[in-house]
Amino acid sequence: MEEYHFQNEKKFCHQMIKIVSRNTRYTLREIKDCINLGNVRAMVRMHSTPHIDGGFKLTVGDVENICEEIFDWVAGVELARLAAEDVIDAYWDDDKNGMSFKMKKQ
């Protein structure tokens, strides 16, 4: 199983943000407006384990999960902003046990 080893946690977190930006329609600026480095660091720490030579290690699956969590966070912030600006409706859906969003009727 392929693993990533890193020493500089801050640099690695920045790389995760860049990967999400490259693979989504969000710019780096948009991502950084929605999530801070501390939030990304918490995600990385949740998925990583200490490496025997110091630093941390992650599997490819862990990196994919972190990228998905960053994307979900940014998309959630964007949806909340649109709801606050009254562009979309946001409501709790008991059947889905989560928030649902829909475009407002024109």
Side-chain angles (χ1 to χ4, degrees):
M1 179 177 291
E2 189 175 349
E3 292 183 341
Y4 294 97
H5 302 258
F6 60 95
Q7 298 284 333
N8 187 329
E9 187 177 38
K10 184 176 181 178
K11 184 177 178 181
F12 186 82
C13 290
H14 281 292
Q15 291 297 327
M16 293 290 93
I17 292 169
K18 287 179 182 178
I19 289 170
V20 173
S21 177
R22 261 185 265 140
N23 291 291
T24 66
R25 65 173 187 83
Y26 293 111
T27 65
L28 282 174
R29 177 82 270 153
E30 289 171 326
I31 293 172
K32 290 179 180 181
D33 284 345
C34 294
I35 192 168
N36 66 43
L37 201 57
N39 299 124
V40 176
R41 181 177 286 147
M43 293 173 188
V44 169
R45 287 183 179 178
M46 185 171 55
H47 291 282
S48 65
T49 56
H51 189 266
I52 194 164
D53 295 331
F56 303 91
K57 67 179 178 177
L58 293 162
T59 65
V60 172
D62 293 330
V63 171
E64 290 171 354
N65 289 336
I66 293 166
C67 289
E68 285 180 24
E69 286 181 32
I70 293 169
F71 174 78
D72 289 346
W73 183 298
V74 173
V77 169
E78 185 172 309
L79 286 170
R81 283 182 185 156
L82 290 171
E85 294 169 357
D86 207 29
V87 174
I88 62 173
D89 283 324
Y91 59 94
W92 183 261
D93 186 330
D94 286 330
D95 294 332
K96 293 180 182 177
N97 196 28
M99 292 297 294
S100 289
F101 303 90
K102 67 178 183 176
M103 294 298 297
K104 289 205 171 263
K105 293 182 180 179
Q106 300 290 334

